[in-house]
Amino acid sequence: MGILGAHVSVSGGVEKSVERGVRLGCESIQIFSKNQRQWKSPPLSEESIKHFIENLNASSIREVVIHDSYLINLASPDSINLNKSREAFYDEMVRADQLKIRYLVFHPGSHPGKTYRRFFRWRIAPRICGWKQDCAS
């Protein structure tokens, strides 16, 4: 059987999300690591990262998932939006790495006139693989 969870608020800092999930009886939580309606957000503070990890380790939460920003469209035909999307997606991966979160949910976006499978393989997947290697180092 799977684990049960909920999307919880990070209002006041990501470290507060763990307690919210515990109060709801969750075994897992999903969070936004930053404001999902803005391109840029301040970096996570070392203190927030430390408290998040400590709170998580002391809790009954078994898994955390980050949901990235709704603004991100890695398939965008517009170069300005595509560059913003790439930077925001990379930032989400960095935040996941900082918080020791293994899973990142994202919507790859859409491109008018392109079939999803072909376009995903050609434009989106190679960039994700390259960024993942950058995050691991």
Side-chain angles (χ1 to χ4, degrees):
M1 178 176 268
I3 57 178
L4 184 61
H7 197 133
V8 295
S9 172
V10 296
S11 179
V14 293
E15 63 275 14
K16 297 188 182 216
S17 62
V18 175
E19 181 184 336
R20 290 178 179 127
V22 169
R23 279 196 316 244
L24 292 170
C26 296
E27 299 168 286
S28 66
I29 57 173
Q30 180 172 296
I31 63 171
F32 290 115
S33 71
K34 60 183 181 179
N35 187 322
Q36 74 279 13
R37 295 184 189 119
Q38 295 181 3
W39 285 109
K40 298 242 182 210
S41 291
L44 294 169
S45 71
E46 290 299 320
E47 188 174 325
S48 280
I49 295 167
K50 178 181 173 246
H51 288 303
F52 175 85
I53 293 169
E54 287 173 352
N55 293 348
L56 185 61
N57 289 338
S59 78
S60 57
I61 302 293
R62 295 170 40 197
E63 204 65 71
V64 181
V65 176
I66 289 179
H67 189 293
D68 77 2
S69 170
Y70 292 117
L71 298 173
I72 295 172
N73 181 358
L74 296 173
S76 177
D78 176 76
S79 63
I80 292 171
N81 190 40
L82 180 58
N83 286 333
K84 285 182 183 179
S85 295
R86 287 176 177 160
E87 288 176 18
F89 186 72
Y90 183 78
D91 185 49
E92 295 283 8
M93 290 196 311
V94 168
R95 288 167 178 266
D97 189 56
Q98 290 173 321
L99 296 169
K100 310 293 186 226
I101 297 174
R102 301 185 309 161
Y103 301 106
L104 171 63
V105 172
F106 76 103
H107 304 273
S110 64
H111 185 290
K114 300 288 183 182
T115 62
Y116 177 77
R117 175 175 278 173
R118 181 172 163 245
F119 198 70
F120 183 84
R121 285 185 187 164
W122 174 74
R123 187 162 190 156
I124 299 170
R127 284 148 179 95
I128 293 171
C129 294
W131 291 328
K132 180 116 174 91
Q133 290 169 2
D134 290 344
C135 286
S137 56

